[in-house]
Amino acid sequence: MTQLLGTQSPAAVGGNEGCFEIASVGSGVKDLAKGDWIIMRSTGFGTWRTHTLATEQDVLKIDNKEGLTPIQVGTVSVNPCTAYRMLRDFETLKEGDWFIQNGANSGVGRAAIQLGKMWGYRSINVIRDRPDAEATEKMKQELYALGATKVVTESELMDRSFGERVKEWTSSGPHRVKLGLNCVGGKPTSALIKCLSQSGHLVTYGGMSKQPVNLPTGLLIFKDLKFSGFWVSRWSDAHPVEKKKCVDEILEYTRLGLFKDVPVETVQWDWDTPESVLKEAVQGTLSGFRAGKGVLVYGDT
Ligand SMILES: NC(=O)c1ccc[n+]([C@@H]2O[C@H](COP(=O)([O-])OP(=O)(O)OC[C@H]3O[C@@H](n4cnc5c(N)ncnc54)[C@H](OP(=O)(O)O)[C@@H]3O)[C@@H](O)[C@H]2O)c1
C-alpha cells in the first residue's frame, strides 16, 4: 500500500494501464518533454488518477502519437499485447494454421482475431449464446467483420457433432488446430480442448466462469496436449524491450487502420463525479454481455 499525499490513512490507486500526457519534466530528463504521451512500463502502477509523479524508468514514450487517440494508446498494453504474445510465443503457427479461442468477443479475443488474420492464421471463435438469436447473429457478424474465420456459440461447441464440424473445416489440408486460447474455464473449455490437434497447446489467461480447467487424462496421454498459463504483467516485467516493440507494432497497425479499437463505454471522471459512478463502472466489468470495455476518462479525450 502506498501512502498518498493528502490521505489520512494508507491508500492504493487502482488501474493497470492508461495514456498520460506529460505536464512537465525535471531538469535532468532528456528524452521526454511536455505534451508527450506515455504509457506505464509495468502494470500495477495505479493509473486511475488525474496526475502522478513518475521517473523516466516508469514510463514508455509513444514515439509517434500522430493519428492515434488516447483511448487507443491507453488500451494497447494489456489486451492486444496479451493476444500478440499468446499467438506468437507458445506454438509456431504458419500461414493457414488454425487457433481456437473462447471469450472471442472480449478485448483479448478481438485482438487475437485481428492479429491472427493479419498473420494468415485461421480462427475458430467461441462466444456465449446471447439472450436472443438476433443478438447472437449480430455478435457473430461483428467478429466476422474483424477477420474471424468461424464464429460459433458455446452451445454449438458443446454439441456432440462439433468435433465433426471442426474436422470438415480443417481436414482438407495440412493445417491443424495447434493453439487454443482460454479465458473461460469449466465445461466449455473441456469441449474446446477436444478440438485441438495432436500435440496442440492450450494457453489459459483468464477464468471468467470461475470454474477450473479440467485436464483430460486421455488427451494428455494419447494426444500429447500441452497446457500453459500466460500473464502479461509478468511477461512485461521480464521483457521491457519486447514490450515496447509489441506496443509500437500494434499502434502502427492501428494507425494504418488494420487494427480496430475494442468497443468502449467511457466514464467521464471529474473532481465532483460521485463515488457511485466509479463503483458502478467497476462492478460492470464483472457482469457479462457488456456493450463495451469501461474506460475512465480524466480530462478531455
Ligand atoms: N493473463 C493475462 O495477462 C490477461 C491479460 C488480459 C486479460 N486477461 C483476462 O482475460 C479475460 C478477458 O479480459 P478482457 O479484458 O479481454 O475482457 P472483456 O473485454 O471485458 O470481455 C469479457 C469477456 O468475458 C466473457 N464473460 C463474462 N462473463 C463470463 C462467464 N461467466 N462465462 C464465460 N464468459 C464470460 C464475456 O462474454 P459475454 O460478452 O458473453 O459476457 C467477454 O467475452 C479476463 O478474465 C481478464 O482478466 C488476462
Side-chain angles (χ1 to χ4, degrees), residues 98-137:
W98 293 79
F99 68 95
I100 182 166
Q101 63 166 345
N102 53 30
N105 63 315
S106 68
V108 176
R110 286 167 190 265
I113 290 172
Q114 298 183 78
L115 293 171
K117 167 85 178 169
M118 258 182 267
W119 298 334
Y121 312 154
R122 290 183 280 190
S123 57
I124 301 170
N125 298 280
V126 184
I127 57 170
R128 290 199 298 173
D129 300 79
R130 317 323 272 176
D132 61 82
E134 200 183 318
T136 302
E137 190 51 34

Side-chain angles (χ1 to χ4, degrees), residues 78-79 82 103-109 127-128 130 139 154 183-184 204-209 230-233 262 285-290 293:
V78 175
N79 286 343
T82 298
N105 63 315
S106 68
V108 176
I127 57 170
R128 290 199 298 173
R130 317 323 272 176
M139 178 56 73
E154 261 184 12
C183 71
V184 172
T204 292
Y205 66 99
M208 293 305 295
S209 73
F230 179 75
W231 186 30
V232 76
S233 303
V262 65
T285 65
L286 303 174
S287 57
F289 305 131
R290 283 199 301 157
K293 206 157 188 58

Side-chain angles (χ1 to χ4, degrees), residues 14 21 24 50 60 93 105-106 114 137 147 158 161 174-176 182 188 211 223 246 263 272 277 301:
E21 183 172 275
S24 69
T50 54
L60 288 178
L93 266 61
N105 63 315
S106 68
Q114 298 183 78
E137 190 51 34
M158 308 283 277
S161 65
H175 303 292
R176 299 175 304 128
N182 166 45
Q211 297 299 312
K223 239 178 162 184
C246 193
D272 50 2
V277 171
T301 37

Side-chain angles (χ1 to χ4, degrees), residues 1 22 61 80 95 131 153 161 220 226 230 244 275-276:
M1 288 241 185
I22 301 225
K61 182 179 161 186
E95 276 195 31
T153 60
S161 65
L220 268 169
K226 286 161 275 176
F230 179 75
K244 166 114 178 80
E275 197 178 311
S276 59

Side-chain angles (χ1 to χ4, degrees), residues 19 37 65-75 251 254 261 301:
C19 173
W37 287 2
K65 63 184 187 186
E66 213 50 46
L68 299 173
T69 66
I71 288 182
Q72 289 166 336
V73 171
T75 55
L251 289 178
T254 306
D261 307 3
T301 37

